């Protein structure tokens, strides 16, 4: 490890632009895309802002750790999916569920009722062809100026990356799963 000197002056100048809603993307093969989005949601909720979370791959009855905590905090989280794609026997049904879920998410974005709308794992129905890309791009363009939208998932379409204000690509360096360690509740649920 190399030791560095701590900065003694601010390393940047404060931007002078207008504050407005942002399009943010967490993508890549590394762990932490949803976790970081949930952290952002908690930050906004902690400031008294209205937040709505949609999960495109989780079933509506999902009870993962984040669901339990968000429920305690009074932060709405809604499963819009059919579960893991490899467990589903009917991908046309999964596609229909994704399209219906998108309409609920789209309505939330365009309503202007929320400071932040999280579209967790939305990239999967997009890249599987279950959900057309154009309506998502249109909703991002048409959203009220104060609405922030966070999108997560691997292989985010380049068209979304192009319109996003902030994109973070999580890089897989090492993962316990590769060493034969299974997913653990409270860490990966």
């Amino acid at each position: 490890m190399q030791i560095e000197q701590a900065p003694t002056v601010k390393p940047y100048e404060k931007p002078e632009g207008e504050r407005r809603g942002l399009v943010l993307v967490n993508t890549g093969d590394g762990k932490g895309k949803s976790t970081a989005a949930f952290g952002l949601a908690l930050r906004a909720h902690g400031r008294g802002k209205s937040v709505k979370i949609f999960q495109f791959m989780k079933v509506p009855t999902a009870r993962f750790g984040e669901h339990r905590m968000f429920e305690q905090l009074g932060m709405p989280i809604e499963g819009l999916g059919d579960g893991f794609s490899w467990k589903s026997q009917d991908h046309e049904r999964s596609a229909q569920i994704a399209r219906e879920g998108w309409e609920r998410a789209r309505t939330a974005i365009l309503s202007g009722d929320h400071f932040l709308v999280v579209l967790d794992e939305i990239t999967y129905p997009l890249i599987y062809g279950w959900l057309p890309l154009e309506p998502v791009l249109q909703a991002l363009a048409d959203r009220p100026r104060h609405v922030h939208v966070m999108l997560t998932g691997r292989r985010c379409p380049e068209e979304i990356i192009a319109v996003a204000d902030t994109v973070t690509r999580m890089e897989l360096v090492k993962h316990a799963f590769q060493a034969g360690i299974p997913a653990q509740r409270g860490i990966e649920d």
Side-chain angles (χ1 to χ4, degrees), residues 128-147:
Y128 297 158
W130 297 348
L131 179 62
L133 179 60
E134 187 52 42
V136 175
L137 292 170
Q138 195 63 55
L140 294 175
D142 294 346
R143 75 191 191 287
R145 285 198 55 76
H146 70 279
V147 175

Side-chain angles (χ1 to χ4, degrees), residues 64-78:
F64 293 100
E66 64 264 25
H67 299 104
R68 297 164 195 256
M69 192 69 239
F70 289 146
E71 182 179 281
Q72 288 178 32
L73 294 172
M75 193 182 323
I77 182 169
E78 187 175 341

Side-chain angles (χ1 to χ4, degrees), residues 15-54:
E16 297 295 327
E18 171 189 15
R19 291 183 189 266
R20 62 173 176 77
L22 303 174
V23 174
L24 307 111
V25 173
N26 289 343
T27 193
D29 290 331
K31 180 173 169 24
K33 296 173 288 294
S34 297
T35 305
F38 299 153
L40 181 67
L42 287 170
R43 177 177 282 167
H45 182 75
R47 289 289 189 164
K49 307 292 187 182
S50 177
V51 176
K52 178 72 179 189
I53 301 169
F54 295 98

Side-chain angles (χ1 to χ4, degrees), residues 56-59 81-92 94-95 121 124-125 127-128 130 155:
F56 279 84
M57 297 303 287
K58 302 290 191 300
V59 297
D82 195 23
F84 294 117
S85 61
W86 55 88
K87 289 185 176 181
S88 173
Q89 299 304 308
D90 186 353
H91 285 182
E92 184 48 46
S94 297
E121 298 180 328
Y124 303 109
I127 63 179
Y128 297 158
W130 297 348
R155 298 182 303 285

